[in-house]
Amino acid sequence: MAIEPVVYGASDRPPRGDYARAGADYTCTQDYAAYTAQDHDTYARLFRRQAALLPGLACDEFIAALPALGQRPEDVDRIPRFDEVNERLLRATGWQLVTVPGLIPEVPFFTLLSERRFPVTDWIRRPDEFDYIVEPDVFHDLFGHVPLLFNPVFADYVQRYGQGGLKAHALGACEQLSRLYWYTIEFGLIRQHGGLRAYGAGILSSSGELRHAVQSPEPQRLPLQLERTMRTRYKIDSYQSTYFEIDSFQQLFDLTEADFSPLYERLRGLPELAADQVEHPAALAA
Ligand code: PHE
Ligand code: FE
């Protein structure tokens, strides 16, 4: 399961990537020649297994954009060249992928997003990590995140998140804002076809969590509400206990449009909630 600490959760192990390759903005070039036949095979097997799981569980926009990663999902046999994806992505929404050695610090991460540049790790997990990896690799970053960057509204939301991140950093509110990233961009659910679908990359790139998030009676699912979401801690090493639902990407965009400064102020006086804190029905009605 590809649960990842994104840019925030401090890991107790040093990151795997070779950061000596990276420039001051943490970007480097995709080392395509370094991929082995086994690397391409790992990617292709992950891709084909995951693509087969999507119908009925992934949102329409994600499924529609998947071929833009380069090959028909059932024919995928290699890791894509980021340059090729970039030609299509630039035409669709003006976004670009940039290569990074792995997780990067908050400020460079927010800066890249604010410039419509999405950081993608280039290395791939080892075969013995097929079902679970603690850091994001090229499969999580590319398969999980990139298809929705072809959607204009979602693409704008991610840029605005980057701009908001730089502001949150200045206000000492990165942890609060990171929860919004976690519960939307990584683990968000959207209502479609009278049911639920996944749009979060952490769900979409995980074979186990996809069904858990969308169909299991176990987790709590709440309407996305900024204050509730930003108070809620999250789990980085197991399936989520709580998911937040939206009606549309436009709703997500509109909900996050206002200046968050007063919200950050209010959050300082409110206790955090555990990841599995069950919502009292009275509180929901209030
Ligand atoms: N509106 C937020 C702010 O003022 C910025 C933001 C937009 C954050 C979209 C997240 C997502 O800080
Ligand atoms: Fe991610």
Side-chain angles (χ1 to χ4, degrees), residues 4 6 136 140-141 145 181 186 201-202:
E4 59 169 279
V6 195
H140 168 80
D141 282 346
H145 286 286
Y181 187 94
E186 291 293 348

Side-chain angles (χ1 to χ4, degrees), residues 18-41:
D18 173 15
Y19 287 77
R21 295 157 57 208
D25 64 357
Y26 281 86
T27 70
C28 52
T29 46
Q30 184 185 21
D31 194 355
Y32 204 83
Y35 295 132
T36 63
Q38 186 178 69
D39 290 339
H40 287 296
D41 179 63

Side-chain angles (χ1 to χ4, degrees), residues 46-233:
L46 283 165
F47 196 111
R48 292 195 304 257
R49 173 177 77 171
Q50 205 61 18
L53 290 174
L54 300 178
L57 297 175
C59 69
D60 292 341
E61 293 84 349
F62 184 88
I63 292 177
L66 212 51
L69 295 187
Q71 305 151 83
R72 296 219 330 261
E74 57 278 20
D75 295 340
V76 167
D77 61 0
R78 59 174 180 86
I79 299 167
R81 289 183 187 272
F82 298 167
D83 289 348
E84 291 170 22
V85 179
N86 273 342
E87 287 174 26
R88 292 184 284 270
L89 187 56
L90 188 65
R91 268 185 270 123
T93 58
W95 271 80
Q96 291 284 270
L97 311 183
V98 290
T99 310
V100 287
L103 295 172
I104 65 173
E106 283 163 357
V107 169
F109 178 70
F110 295 142
T111 302
L112 289 175
L113 297 186
S114 73
E115 299 165 345
R116 293 175 95 84
R117 299 202 293 161
F118 194 84
V120 176
T121 303
D122 62 351
W123 55 264
I124 186 132
R125 69 194 70 182
R126 297 187 308 262
D128 61 296
E129 300 166 302
F130 197 73
D131 290 310
Y132 181 92
I133 176 149
V134 291
E135 286 172 79
D137 68 345
V138 63
F139 179 71
H140 168 80
D141 282 346
L142 202 61
F143 181 96
H145 286 286
V146 176
L148 283 182
L149 293 176
F150 282 84
N151 177 270
V153 180
F154 191 83
D156 285 351
Y157 171 70
V158 181
Q159 178 181 28
R160 292 259 308 274
Y161 180 88
Q163 294 163 343
L166 292 170
K167 193 168 99 186
H169 181 78
L171 295 172
C174 282
E175 193 168 339
Q176 283 65 38
L177 187 67
S178 75
R179 295 178 182 148
L180 180 66
Y181 187 94
W182 190 262
Y183 285 117
T184 62
I185 294 172
E186 291 293 348
F187 291 97
L189 297 175
I190 185 167
R191 297 188 194 96
Q192 282 185 351
H193 305 293
L196 277 180
R197 299 285 191 272
Y199 72 90
I203 307 177
L204 289 162
S205 63
S206 159
S207 68
E209 187 146 4
L210 190 52
R211 280 195 212 95
H212 171 84
V214 177
Q215 293 180 332
S216 165
E218 244 171 75
Q220 166 174 239
R221 299 180 186 83
L222 303 173
L224 183 68
Q225 203 250 342
L226 289 183
E227 189 179 287
R228 177 59 163 90
T229 303
M230 290 199 202
R231 287 175 66 190
T232 308
R233 287 195 293 262

